[in-house]
Amino acid sequence: MDESTGTTQGPVIGRRILLCLDRHPSSEVAVPHAVYLAKTFGGSITLLHVLRSPRRSAGPPANDALAWELSRQEALSYLQKIGAELTQALGQPVALRLEQGRPAERIVDVARELGADITVLGSGAGGVILGSTAQQVLADSRSTILVAHSSTARPVAVKPRRILVPLDGSVRAESVLPAATRIAQANGATLLLAHIVQEPVATAVLDAAEAMELARQLATWLQAGARIYLDQLRQRLAQDGAAVEVIVARHVNDRKSLIDIAQNQHADLIVLSAHGAACDSAQSFGGVTDYLVGHTKLPVLVVQDLPEAASQHLEEVDTTMRPPSSLRASYASGIA
């Protein structure tokens, strides 16, 4: 608990960063993201590549062993090359890990072994929004993840300028604010705090004119409340010198609305909590988070609000109750 503010800090991230590369150029788009995260949070980077287990060929075993050793040496040379670049960019050594097995499984296992605060990976090759390895890591991981979508070759540097932070009014969603604020301040970026109010739609259940009018009145009331809520957050964050804009929108599809806002507001990073007000602890990520990661081409930093140990027991907890106070965001400028 922060005695000066009466709040506790959000999830601590950025001290140990696991950067995962598959040697495809598209995955290297993740490299500069890992660099600015390490610089922002004063963290270290471990560079990971997973060699898929060799498939036995019809040739002699000696040929299989030779081919495997050649692949291993090529992968090691690749890691050393990227590692040297990272060491120069960070001014500190970078650890290298060359693993064997199924990529998604090894990524999750190594992240757990290292106690990685952030796992950084590219979205996938071939123009797909989210490749199979990234999908599996997202499904199985209980850590904070940055997915760097790769539509172009790796940029020389990345410096986010406009950071979209979707908020649903819950303290789970708010728990990303310390991390998002620190990234914004370190890079001279503006935070875009966004809330979407569901626009009522006439259905067989909601078809009477009086009912629709009440639903629209409720949406208008929620819209006004959201504006007050975000303005209060903006004022508190501004006390720490953060540049903040607030966005309240009404839309029949809140998820698509966030995608549209990101595009229209020229956001270059989305930061959001793994879960919101409706938290299903059995899932690594909630529905809105899952949709955004799978449908945007922007890099997405998903801050895990459920520690792995806690998530194994929360299935027995009534998740409709107010989230624990440890998830409440802290707005202090010095974030550990």
Side-chain angles (χ1 to χ4, degrees), residues 52-198:
R52 294 183 182 273
S53 299
R55 297 178 180 178
R56 296 300 301 273
S57 68
N63 291 341
D64 293 341
L66 178 60
W68 171 249
E69 180 59 22
L70 287 174
S71 295
R72 193 186 72 82
Q73 289 296 333
E74 289 174 357
L76 182 58
S77 296
Y78 174 78
L79 284 181
Q80 291 171 338
K81 174 181 176 294
I82 301 297
E85 295 178 8
L86 286 169
T87 297
Q88 183 176 8
L90 293 173
Q92 65 180 23
V94 172
L96 306 180
R97 289 286 295 263
L98 181 58
E99 298 287 325
Q100 174 185 337
R102 297 178 178 176
E105 291 180 4
R106 292 306 301 143
I107 289 171
V108 172
D109 289 344
V110 171
R112 184 180 296 115
E113 173 194 332
L114 298 177
D117 303 311
I118 308 178
T119 299
V120 182
L121 68 161
S123 60
V128 298
I129 290 184
L130 202 60
S132 59
T133 296
Q135 289 181 23
Q136 194 62 47
V137 172
L138 285 164
D140 296 342
S141 177
R142 288 288 186 173
S143 69
T144 293
I145 291 180
L146 186 141
V147 178
H149 291 282
S150 50
S151 57
T152 60
R154 175 180 25 142
V156 176
V158 168
K159 199 170 185 179
R161 292 298 188 182
R162 293 178 67 78
I163 303 172
L164 177 63
V165 183
L167 297 169
D168 64 5
S170 70
V171 290
R172 289 190 184 280
E174 283 182 30
S175 70
V176 309
L177 287 174
T181 300
R182 186 157 176 176
I183 293 171
Q185 290 176 326
N187 295 279
T190 298
L191 291 174
L192 308 172
L193 308 184
H195 180 89
I196 312 301
V197 175
Q198 188 77 29

Side-chain angles (χ1 to χ4, degrees), residues 21-32 78 81-82 154-155:
L21 299 178
D22 63 7
R23 295 174 60 194
H24 191 282
S26 64
S27 73
E28 294 180 15
V29 73
V31 172
Y78 174 78
K81 174 181 176 294
I82 301 297
R154 175 180 25 142

Side-chain angles (χ1 to χ4, degrees), residues 161-165 167 177 180-181 184-185 188-194 227 229-247 265 331:
R161 292 298 188 182
R162 293 178 67 78
I163 303 172
L164 177 63
V165 183
L167 297 169
L177 287 174
T181 300
Q185 290 176 326
T190 298
L191 291 174
L192 308 172
L193 308 184
R227 171 65 64 174
Y229 164 68
L230 293 186
D231 280 340
Q232 290 174 340
L233 288 180
R234 179 183 56 78
Q235 292 170 15
R236 295 174 67 180
L237 292 170
Q239 292 175 1
D240 282 339
V244 184
E245 298 176 12
V246 300
I247 303 163
Q265 294 293 326
Y331 303 93

